[in-house]
């Protein structure tokens, strides 16, 4: 229960979208290699799982940059009813032999959650997945499609949805993020 509350508060702070499911996490396969330097910089959120709270957020972007301590600064921005909201998180690589399995958190003292890159070509798209077991009987999933541009082609969309499907992730809960009339 405590973990659920933490997840929910993380969700509120970070606009994390999540989906609860029964059973264990899908057997998703992160990339074997990830060049974090090429991954840094600005990404537009194009799709994500429906928010548990249906928070209406538009114009969501993330900017990843290296910090002095080698961790990654995560700067998320969005707008709610035209008002800008942002959150700063910290990400790092817990195990150097698993370079696409980052861990991220948005509040000091909060537990880190997984941030797995299932696929990226660095210059166009990234397919990100996160799943945590809650009690052994259930799990919480987070999923995002990020792009270097504020839109993706129908062809690329189909390819990236297929990537989720191939990883056992149900795409029916993916919802497109509004990226029009954004000021940044
Ligand atoms: C991303 O963050 C870095 C570090 O704070 C900053 O130098 C850079 O200008 C930012 N990029 C964008 C596109 O906002
Ligand atoms: C890092 O991951 C490898 C491969 O899964 C595993 O064998 C190793 O025990 C991990 N190291 C740590 C410190 O967790
Ligand atoms: C990916 O990005 C590169 C560099 O911006 C571009 O040349 C290429 O056409 C893009 N590929 C796709 C499939 O969008």
């Amino acid at each position: 229960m405590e973990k659920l509350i933490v997840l929910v508060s993380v969700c509120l702070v970070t606009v994390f979208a999540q989906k609860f499911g029964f059973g264990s996490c899908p057997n998703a396969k992160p990339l074997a290699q990830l060049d974090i330097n090429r991954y840094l910089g600005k990404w537009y959120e194009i799709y994500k799982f429906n928010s548990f709270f249906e928070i209406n957020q538009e114009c969501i972007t993330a900017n990843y940059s290296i910090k002095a301590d080698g961790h990654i600064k995560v700067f998320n921005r969005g707008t709610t009813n035209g008002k800008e909201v942002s959150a700063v998180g910290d990400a790092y690589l817990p195990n150097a032999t698993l370079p696409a399995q980052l861990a991220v958190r948005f509040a000091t003292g909060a537990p880190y959650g997984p941030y797995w890159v299932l696929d990226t070509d660095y210059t166009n798209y990234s397919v990100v997945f996160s799943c945590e077991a809650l009690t052994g009987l259930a799990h919480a999933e987070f999923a995002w499609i990020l792009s270097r541009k504020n839109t993706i082609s129908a062809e690329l969309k189909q390819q990236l949805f297929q990537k989720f499907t191939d990883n056992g992730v149900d795409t029916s809960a993916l919802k497109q993020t509004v990226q029009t009339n954004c000021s940044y």
Side-chain angles (χ1 to χ4, degrees):
M1 197 56 201
E2 200 168 74
K3 184 144 192 193
L4 185 61
I5 288 164
V6 169
L7 275 172
V8 166
S9 58
V10 166
C11 171
L12 281 173
V13 171
T14 64
V15 203
F16 268 8
Q18 63 186 318
K19 175 176 162 299
F20 293 99
F22 293 110
S24 49
C25 286
N27 188 25
K29 296 239 176 336
L31 287 172
Q33 299 298 332
L34 184 74
D35 181 345
I36 198 69
N37 288 307
R38 295 183 66 201
Y39 195 78
L40 300 177
K42 184 176 175 180
W43 291 96
Y44 294 86
E45 182 189 278
I46 307 297
Y47 284 92
K48 68 151 173 267
F49 274 164
N50 257 318
S51 166
F52 189 61
F53 290 101
E54 295 286 337
I55 301 167
N56 198 27
Q57 287 253 344
E58 304 185 342
C59 305
I60 299 170
T61 63
N63 180 7
Y64 304 123
S65 56
I66 290 279
K67 301 200 283 194
D69 64 359
H71 281 214
I72 293 151
K73 178 183 169 186
V74 179
F75 179 61
N76 285 354
R77 308 169 77 165
T79 59
T80 300
N81 302 322
K83 224 175 68 189
E84 195 174 321
V85 290
S86 64
V88 177
D90 176 81
Y92 77 108
L93 197 56
N95 184 333
T97 69
L98 306 169
Q101 298 182 35
L102 297 153
V104 65
R105 73 177 180 190
F106 284 88
T108 308
Y112 282 90
Y115 178 115
W116 288 13
V117 181
L118 303 187
D119 197 11
T120 186
D121 70 348
Y122 305 102
T123 56
N124 300 284
Y125 66 84
S126 180
V127 178
V128 181
F129 184 63
S130 176
C131 189
E132 288 192 284
L134 294 174
T135 57
L137 290 174
H139 63 269
E141 286 177 50
F142 306 81
W144 302 264
I145 287 175
L146 308 177
S147 169
R148 291 296 192 186
K149 297 195 188 114
N150 63 4
T151 178
I152 57 173
S153 69
E155 194 185 359
L156 183 58
K157 177 204 161 182
Q158 194 187 8
Q159 189 187 315
L160 303 181
F161 272 48
Q162 187 61 45
K163 177 61 68 174
F164 274 132
T165 304
D166 292 346
N167 278 278
V169 180
D170 174 16
T171 57
S172 64
L174 284 170
K175 186 179 156 199
Q176 192 165 8
T177 303
V178 173
Q179 290 287 2
T180 48
N181 301 317
C182 299
S183 58
Y184 49 87

